[in-house]
Each structure stands twice: as C-alpha cells, then as structure tokens.
Amino acid sequence: KKIFIVAGARPNFMKIAPIIRELRQGSYPFEYKLVHTGQHYDKEMSDVFFEELEIPSPDYHLDVGSGSHAEQTAKVMVRFEEICMKDRPDLVMVVGDVNSTLACSIVAKKLGIKVAHVEAGLRSGDIRMPEEVNRIVTDSISDYFFVTEKSGADHLLAEGKPKDSIHFVGHVMIDNLFHQVEKLNRRPETSFETTFFKQRHPSYGVVTLHRPSNVDNQETLAGIIRALTEVSTALPLIFPIHPRTQANIRKFGLTIPDGIVTTKPLSYMAFLNLFKDARLVLTDSGGIQEETTALGIPCITLRENTERPITVEEGTNVIVGSDPERIVAEAKKALSGSGAAGKRPELWDGKASVRILTTLSDALYAD
Ligand code: UD1
C-alpha cells in the first residue's frame, strides 16, 4: 500500500516532519511519497524548513506559487490530480488548514482515494477566515480524523462523523517542537541571526503577524503597530515579518520604530531559539498559540477568536483581538506575572506521529 503526504505552506512543514521521521525509523507496512505543492516557495518560507527539520526532498513538487485563493487552489488541484492518476496512492494524508490541504483532499476524494486529515475538527466559528472554510470542507470529505484537542472531536461528532473515524492522538506539531528543543539544548546554536539579539536583550518579546484580517487593512495594521510600539517601551520586541505583512507596511507607508527589531521570516530553528526564551509572544498565528502553551510561555493572540481553545482553557494563551488598548493592557498584565499560568494539554507528549501511523497501518489493512 502507498500513501501520499501533502505539504504546501510553512505551517505544514513542521507537522509532516515528525511523521516522516517516524516513518523512516519505525516499520510501517506501507510506502510513502512526499508531495510539496509549492504554495510557499521563498527560500526562507520553504527550503530552510526542509533542511532544518530533516525532511527529505519531495517526491513530487507541484510548483504552484502564489495567486488568488481560486487560482492557487485550482492549480494545486490540477497538478495533484495528474500525479494521483499516474501514481495512484491508497491514501492521501493532509495536515492543517491551508489552501493545499483543501485542494488535495478534494482531488483525492473525487478519485476514490481515502483521505486522512491531521489536525482535524478545529473550528474558529469565523467563516470569514479562509482557513475555516478549508477546515470545514476538508473535514466534510475526510475518512480518518486525527484530532489534537477535545474540541476537535466534539465538533466532528456534532457534524455527524462516525465515532470510530475520530482519533484523539495529540499533536504532531508538538512532537516536532520537543524534538527540535532537545536538539537546540544539546547543541546551542550560535550562528542564528537571533543569537546576537538575545545576547543584547536578556529579556524580550516576540511578535508575528500575517493574518489578512490584521494586516490587509491600513487602520488595523497601524493600530497594532501603535500598540506594539507602546509595549516595546517596557520590553524590547523582535518581529520577523511575513512577506504579506512586509508588502502592506510598505504599501500603507507605515514605519516600525527603533524599539522593535525587524527581521526577514526566520527559519524554524532560529525562530524557536528566539521564542523558547521569550518573556512574551504576541501573534496572530494558529500554531504559535499551541507551541507557547506547550512550553509555558505567555501568549497574547491578536485575533477575535481561536480554533484552538485548549490553549486558553488550559494553556498560557489570551485572545485579545486587534484593539490597541487591549493589546497593551494584556501585555502589561503578562509582564507583571499575573497572566495565565497554564499546563500542557493531554497527549501533547511527543508521540502523536506514532499514534497516527499505528492507526493508519491497522486501518489500511482492515479495508
Ligand atoms: C498561508 C495560509 C495560512 C498560514 C500562512 C503561514 C492559506 C489560506 N493560508 O497564508 O493559513 O497561516 O500561510 O505562513 O493557505 N508569499 C511570498 N513568498 C512565499 C509565499 C507567499 O512572498 O513563499 C507572499 C505572496 O505575495 C503571496 C502572499 O505572500 O501572495 C500570501 O501567500 P499565501 O500562500 O497565499 O498565503 P499566506 O498569507 O502565506
């Protein structure tokens, strides 16, 4: 039997890395092929992740690049269909909620190929988010659901999915996190561009921002930068900038003050080296809410909602939206030490990949 593992954008790469590592180490009764859709293509958005996370070169590279949602999704679909027809897999594994996840699950399903969705069932309740559409559509046609937190299983059950297709396995991204933290601890890296910043600033905060709802509107983005400027008077901040955000800062003629150090997008390890020792993280990412919870670092999420509620209920995350005053108030609270304390959620133990692959081994041969 054969499975295709699909990755397309930056947040996919850290999720497939531990699955592939486990496939190479363990003995599983199927062969696998890695498909990179090319949704992210810049060296620092893609290649460095493959190198650092020890992901082998993809067997197929679809090279789709950027475009409107329809354009990008359509290109992935056309190219993925070709390889599925030529080299027919028994199962397609998709991870997360990016356009590549959606595109490949639809193609597989229509060709009668089983679909496994890793990180299934998450819902922000905000259908204006492109990722929410991707999650709902992918889950509506998947056969195997691998869930990171209880809310995921609850949503899938409420949507009528059979109980035995839902597997609460923990989180592959946390498998990767622990693996990479251990690697960094074994061999502290001095060559990262972030090392110098850490030496100069023993205490600091980290910012990431790329969600269209925050960065595509001039007023919203200006307000967030104002809030960050104020936070930076109490705590030096470092801000690796996503290409979308960079383009909009330029377009809107905004400036980032000196108290906030900006960098190009960082590699996974350079970024981990930074945030694992931060006093505070301010972000609108999905995954970083979880990685900070797993490491017990205070996280302020610049969004109105989260599809990862466990990070708020049990972890260190607070949801503050994009209102500048709230951002500043919550940052001060976190700095005073009165923020959420947090504990590590159930099954976020570094073994999700093993659980997923064991389940799939049984399932593929039971059919
Ligand atoms: C995508 C995901 C989002 C994820 C984010 C992480 C979807 C709908 N969104 O958003 O869930 O959190 O990745 O990074 O799939 N660009 C480059 N170089 C690249 C890739 C993109 O310059 O390697 C620029 C292009 O101008 C492009 C824009 O970034 O138009 C947006 O890229 P796209 O892949 O459409 O979405 P992201 O905003 O990266």
Side-chain angles (χ1 to χ4, degrees):
K1 302 249 176 177
K2 179 166 58 195
I3 68 173
F4 277 6
I5 300 175
V6 175
R10 190 170 60 173
N12 290 162
F13 304 141
M14 40 283 225
K15 292 171 194 162
I16 60 154
I19 296 175
I20 291 177
R21 196 175 309 121
E22 178 57 28
L23 274 167
R24 292 170 119 187
Q25 280 166 4
S27 74
Y28 293 95
F30 43 78
E31 74 169 300
Y32 70 94
K33 292 208 171 153
L34 176 58
V35 181
H36 186 341
T37 65
Q39 176 175 345
H40 283 173
Y41 46 85
D42 281 354
K43 187 168 181 351
E44 60 264 19
M45 298 290 283
S46 173
D47 297 1
V48 284
F49 285 77
F50 275 69
E51 287 156 23
E52 284 186 347
L53 304 182
E54 308 142 63
I55 307 172
S57 300
D59 298 282
Y60 295 105
H61 200 302
L62 308 184
D63 216 6
V64 299
S66 298
S68 69
H69 283 271
E71 225 176 306
Q72 191 174 56
T73 308
K75 271 194 198 156
V76 176
M77 287 181 71
V78 171
R79 295 180 193 178
F80 189 61
E81 187 182 52
E82 270 169 33
I83 61 166
C84 281
M85 298 211 314
K86 203 172 68 196
D87 185 10
R88 199 176 170 89
D90 298 283
L91 178 130
V92 168
M93 180 191 285
V94 293
V95 300
D97 56 16
V98 302
N99 287 344
S100 304
T101 311
L102 167 82
C104 295
S105 60
I106 295 177
V107 167
K109 196 64 191 176
K110 288 210 168 183
L111 290 174
I113 299 164
K114 298 249 188 245
V115 177
H117 186 199
V118 174
E119 206 185 46
L122 297 182
R123 298 288 180 269
S124 68
D126 180 358
I127 198 69
R128 292 165 307 175
M129 263 178 102
E131 293 81 1
E132 185 76 350
V133 179
N134 295 345
R135 292 178 199 118
I136 292 171
V137 177
T138 302
D139 284 340
S140 73
I141 53 176
S142 291
D143 299 280
Y144 304 101
F145 303 93
F146 294 106
V147 169
T148 54
E149 62 168 278
K150 197 176 158 295
S151 77
D154 294 343
H155 293 133
L156 293 167
L157 286 171
E159 288 166 19
K161 301 296 173 219
K163 202 162 184 271
D164 60 3
S165 65
I166 303 169
H167 308 275
F168 174 40
V169 291
H171 204 336
V172 286
M173 194 185 57
I174 305 300
D175 293 6
N176 177 63
L177 176 73
F178 291 159
H179 178 81
Q180 307 301 347
V181 167
E182 207 180 284
K183 239 164 64 183
L184 266 188
N185 288 344
R186 263 201 321 267
R187 198 167 64 88
E189 192 56 72
T190 52
S191 64
F192 294 135
E193 53 273 58
T194 49
T195 307
F196 179 64
F197 176 85
K198 283 177 78 171
Q199 280 163 357
R200 278 192 55 192
H201 304 286
S203 178
Y204 60 88
V206 178
V207 180
T208 82
L209 212 56
H210 73 284
R211 217 151 276 290
S213 57
N214 279 332
V215 307
D216 285 1
N217 176 286
Q218 178 164 357
E219 230 171 281
T220 311
L221 184 56
I224 292 174
I225 292 175
R226 236 182 9 255
L228 296 175
T229 306
E230 194 170 333
V231 176
S232 74
T233 59
L235 182 73
L237 297 178
I238 183 161
F239 180 14
I241 309 189
H242 184 282
R244 173 195 286 276
T245 312
Q246 182 64 271
N248 287 342
I249 288 174
R250 205 170 302 128
K251 186 167 102 195
F252 301 147
L254 301 171
T255 45
I256 310 278
D258 291 344
I260 305 175
V261 173
T262 59
T263 73
K264 63 179 190 340
L266 295 174
S267 73
Y268 185 85
M269 293 305 255
F271 186 65
L272 174 61
N273 180 42
L274 200 57
F275 84 82
K276 79 179 177 56
D277 297 315
R279 284 242 353 243
L280 179 65
V281 172
L282 299 114
T283 189
D284 62 5
S285 145
I288 297 171
Q289 297 172 48
E290 299 176 318
E291 291 185 311
T292 47
T293 272
L295 297 181
I297 298 157
C299 180
I300 292 183
T301 297
L302 279 56
R303 285 177 45 187
E304 305 297 336
N305 47 55
T306 181
E307 61 286 340
R308 300 155 207 270
I310 195 98
T311 59
V312 177
E313 289 153 15
E314 295 188 9
T316 51
N317 190 21
V318 279
I319 304 295
V320 306
S322 56
D323 173 50
E325 274 164 35
R326 264 212 83 195
I327 297 171
V328 173
E330 288 295 339
K332 283 191 178 147
K333 204 158 119 193
L335 289 180
S336 72
S338 56
K343 66 168 195 198
R344 187 185 300 162
E346 191 185 351
L347 295 188
W348 289 17
D349 58 359
K351 300 196 182 80
S353 312
V354 178
R355 294 187 190 102
I356 289 171
L357 292 171
T358 309
T359 306
L360 282 182
S361 304
D362 295 345
L364 277 175
Y365 285 89
D367 286 343

